[in-house]
Amino acid sequence: MAISKPPGSASVPSQSSANYNYTAVAEPPNRTGRCNVVIFGESGAGKSSLVNLITRKDEAETSCDAKGCTAAVNGHELWIQDKTLKVKLFDTPGLDEDPRGTVPDKEARRILKELVQTLMKQGNIHLIIYCVRGEKLIRTLRRNYEFIQSQVKRKIPIVLVVTSLESYEPDMEEWWRLNENTISKLGMTFAGHACVTTGMITQSNVTERGLNQSHDAVRKLIEQCCLSNDTVIHTGPGSKNIVLFGLAGAGKSSLVNLMAGENEARTSSDMRSCTLHWQKYAIKIDNKSYNVFDTAALKEPQLGIQQYFDAVENSYALIQNLERQGGIDLLLFCIRAGRLTPTLQTNYRLFHEFLCDKKVPIVVVITYLENEVGEMDDWWNRNRGVFDEQEVHVAGHACITTIRGNYPDRYAQSRTTIRSLVKEFTAEGQNGAWKGGDSTFVSFVRELKGLSVGEEKLRMEIMVSHLTKRCCLSPGVAKQLADRIKNDAI
């Protein structure tokens, strides 16, 4: 899997193009990266208003008319992250206009397709924002979602920004809670979302508080996705790299906050995943720097096969990137106290054996032990034999709670425990002492290249067998995953 050029190293569509207009910003001396964001959606969704919300400037033309007001691709630049990340927003003509509209639907799709393909060839697209109005029927959103997915083939994160939600204030997030299940059932998966208002203060129900909240939500979404989709991961000199993985609802994001000592990662109180695309968090432990990469939560394949493949693909890309740029110092396997289910065993083997070739030390972190009778570590003393029986071998463990609430003492103890564990297993000499096993996943990918048809078929059968026997995947899921590996989708 080749590394694309770093953000900012490739050009963008020509500014002289008939379908492209461009507004630039001055270049400060301390810039470190660039991020290109394509905004698309149907006509009247509020794409241009969203640009103005993000930039906090009225530089994009807006209209309340039935016809769209964006006739070409308009580029708008801004600086975020203390002027260290330059973001270029590409506002595209609205889709689904009739033939007499500003830009007929067929032409709008051609323009969008050409833009996305050009940026992808340059390795210079980092995020796609699907902008929709809150009152639209959810099932009508699928056509445009499938159109953009057919262009990016799940290689670029897509986020959903829902506009015109001023009537939901002060809790615009309520729209997502009401519609999330329907979106998932229709096969639409997003790397993140923001529920916003983009209206004017003079309009009914639009408040300054709502606009500020919306601005912050979208800016944060862009920052997280652009930084996590950066083709060159900036880890910093002397920093240790930690990859965190586990099932949805295990408390991975809360674990990040526990280690950091502050609310760095967004968390949720239900069993749904908060992390749909890997996120990087820079934390300090005793003045030493650590990069914690919180991966997309893996669910059982039967609960959503496409989401499962997306999560594996996302994690594989992260690990391959880190291995090329400094390596991985530690795997944190986060599980919720309970049974060591087949799904947990599958996730362990996918990361430890197949993605990391058994070359990276792995420790298990057991969460939700705030109500454990006696010491929290008693859970491990009772259950470690089950781990050995199922061949889930770990170099260390931590029994903790990530819930502060009514358990401040156990929370403080948990923070000390996890930070000590991280320091111990990322200390100098640990990686050298860890003995790697047989290479499996990566060697399969490497060896498939250049084989004859007969040899390739045999290797595929061996890979499916490994995924079935070692990772406990069903033959159907194993075959689909192997096919994606072969086709370089992963």
Side-chain angles (χ1 to χ4, degrees):
M1 185 180 296
I3 301 179
S4 303
K5 293 181 181 179
S9 63
S11 60
V12 295
S14 170
Q15 296 175 28
S16 62
S17 169
N19 292 315
Y20 184 71
N21 300 311
Y22 176 66
T23 303
V25 294
E27 195 92 4
N30 62 335
R31 74 167 184 83
T32 60
R34 294 172 183 264
C35 176
N36 288 331
V37 180
V38 174
I39 302 175
F40 87 103
E42 70 175 25
S43 179
K47 300 184 302 302
S48 298
S49 296
L50 179 60
V51 169
N52 291 337
L53 175 77
I54 297 168
T55 61
R56 283 196 157 155
K57 297 178 181 177
D58 292 330
E59 55 185 38
E61 181 186 355
T62 61
S63 172
C64 297
D65 296 339
K67 288 186 178 182
C69 58
T70 305
V73 176
N74 296 315
H76 306 273
E77 289 187 343
L78 69 149
W79 288 96
I80 61 176
Q81 290 266 308
D82 295 325
K83 292 194 174 182
T84 61
L85 181 64
K86 181 189 248 183
V87 176
K88 181 175 288 184
L89 305 172
F90 294 89
D91 183 13
T92 60
L95 305 179
D96 299 327
E97 283 232 59
D98 64 39
R100 295 169 295 178
T102 304
V103 180
D105 181 59
K106 186 175 181 179
E107 175 64 8
R109 289 177 189 275
R110 186 197 65 77
I111 293 172
L112 176 60
K113 179 179 179 179
E114 184 179 276
L115 171 68
V116 170
Q117 289 183 346
T118 299
L119 290 172
M120 287 189 69
K121 285 178 182 177
Q122 297 170 347
N124 211 23
I125 181 171
H126 306 88
L127 178 64
I128 293 177
I129 293 179
Y130 184 11
C131 182
V132 304
R133 289 181 70 91
E135 65 265 24
K136 289 290 293 184
L137 290 174
I138 300 302
R139 63 176 180 272
T140 65
L141 308 181
R142 188 172 179 178
R143 176 174 178 248
N144 292 334
Y145 171 84
E146 291 179 342
F147 173 76
I148 201 68
Q149 281 288 22
S150 70
Q151 304 307 311
V152 302
K153 303 187 186 304
R154 302 187 181 276
K155 294 181 179 179
I156 308 298
I158 302 173
V159 298
L160 183 70
V161 174
V162 188
T163 65
S164 303
L165 294 180
E166 46 271 9
S167 62
Y168 282 80
E169 280 199 60
D171 185 16
M172 290 183 283
E173 189 68 14
E174 175 68 12
W175 185 96
W176 179 256
R177 292 193 291 271
L178 291 172
N179 294 282
E180 181 181 10
N181 285 337
T182 303
I183 289 171
S184 179
K185 288 177 182 177
L186 289 172
M188 294 185 286
T189 58
F190 297 98
H193 72 275
C195 296
V196 305
T197 176
T198 58
M200 306 286 289
I201 291 289
T202 54
Q203 291 177 286
S204 175
N205 295 329
V206 177
T207 65
E208 185 173 356
R209 177 185 178 279
L211 287 173
N212 289 335
Q213 177 185 329
S214 299
H215 170 268
D216 294 344
V218 179
R219 287 278 286 259
K220 185 173 182 180
L221 194 64
I222 292 173
E223 289 178 13
Q224 289 180 338
C225 289
C226 280
L227 291 173
S228 65
N229 195 44
D230 193 343
T231 53
V232 174
I233 300 173
H234 305 283
T235 57
S239 297
K240 301 292 186 179
N241 295 328
I242 301 169
V243 173
L244 172 61
F245 72 99
L247 288 179
K252 295 189 296 93
S253 298
S254 296
L255 178 57
V256 171
N257 294 336
L258 179 71
M259 287 190 286
E262 54 188 344
N263 292 330
E264 294 278 351
R266 185 171 67 91
T267 61
S268 172
S269 59
D270 57 28
M271 293 296 289
R272 295 174 186 142
S273 172
C274 294
T275 308
L276 301 175
H277 192 271
W278 65 261
Q279 306 288 344
K280 173 189 168 187
Y281 301 96
I283 66 173
K284 290 272 191 181
I285 300 179
D286 294 344
N287 294 321
K288 292 187 177 180
S289 298
Y290 298 85
N291 299 306
V292 179
F293 295 89
D294 186 8
T295 61
L298 290 170
K299 299 181 181 180
E300 296 185 39
Q302 57 266 36
L303 296 182
I305 188 65
Q306 192 57 61
Q307 292 92 326
Y308 178 79
F309 287 147
D310 287 348
V312 174
E313 177 177 354
N314 190 254
S315 298
Y316 175 70
L318 166 66
I319 288 170
Q320 288 293 94
N321 207 328
L322 285 173
E323 285 183 348
R324 287 189 292 256
Q325 300 178 53
I328 303 166
D329 296 281
L330 183 64
L331 287 174
L332 282 183
F333 181 24
C334 184
I335 69 172
R336 191 174 180 129
R339 291 179 55 247
L340 185 61
T341 63
T343 302
L344 288 173
Q345 296 173 50
T346 295
N347 292 345
Y348 163 83
R349 292 190 171 92
L350 270 174
F351 274 83
H352 183 48
E353 297 182 13
F354 281 82
L355 295 181
C356 291
D357 291 344
K358 295 183 181 178
K359 293 177 181 177
V360 181
I362 181 171
V363 297
V364 63
V365 180
I366 303 98
T367 61
Y368 288 91
L369 288 172
E370 56 275 358
N371 292 316
E372 175 74 12
V373 177
E375 296 298 321
M376 289 187 287
D377 208 53
D378 290 345
W379 188 96
W380 179 252
N381 296 331
R382 293 194 310 272
N383 292 278
R384 66 182 303 171
V386 178
F387 283 72
D388 292 337
E389 290 171 9
Q390 300 301 326
E391 297 183 6
V392 177
H393 302 301
V394 295
H397 75 279
C399 293
I400 65 166
T401 178
T402 58
I403 300 173
R404 190 192 302 268
N406 297 324
Y407 316 95
D409 292 340
R410 286 198 160 183
Y411 185 85
Q413 176 189 339
S414 297
R415 185 163 187 254
T416 300
T417 299
I418 188 60
R419 287 162 71 94
S420 297
L421 189 76
V422 167
K423 288 192 295 181
E424 177 184 355
F425 286 97
T426 57
E428 295 301 325
Q430 282 295 325
N431 285 351
W434 184 264
K435 299 184 184 299
D438 295 331
S439 177
T440 50
F441 187 97
V442 174
S443 67
F444 278 127
V445 177
R446 192 181 304 119
E447 292 174 23
L448 280 173
K449 310 299 182 184
L451 293 180
S452 67
V453 174
E455 291 173 325
E456 180 183 295
K457 183 178 179 181
L458 177 60
R459 295 296 295 173
M460 286 287 288
E461 289 174 354
I462 295 173
M463 188 193 301
V464 170
S465 177
H466 272 272
L467 290 169
T468 303
K469 293 177 181 177
R470 292 299 299 160
C471 294
C472 306
L473 295 177
S474 70
V477 172
K479 176 65 166 57
Q480 290 183 66
L481 184 55
D483 284 340
R484 285 177 69 119
I485 295 166
K486 182 186 111 175
N487 295 328
D488 212 17
I490 291 179

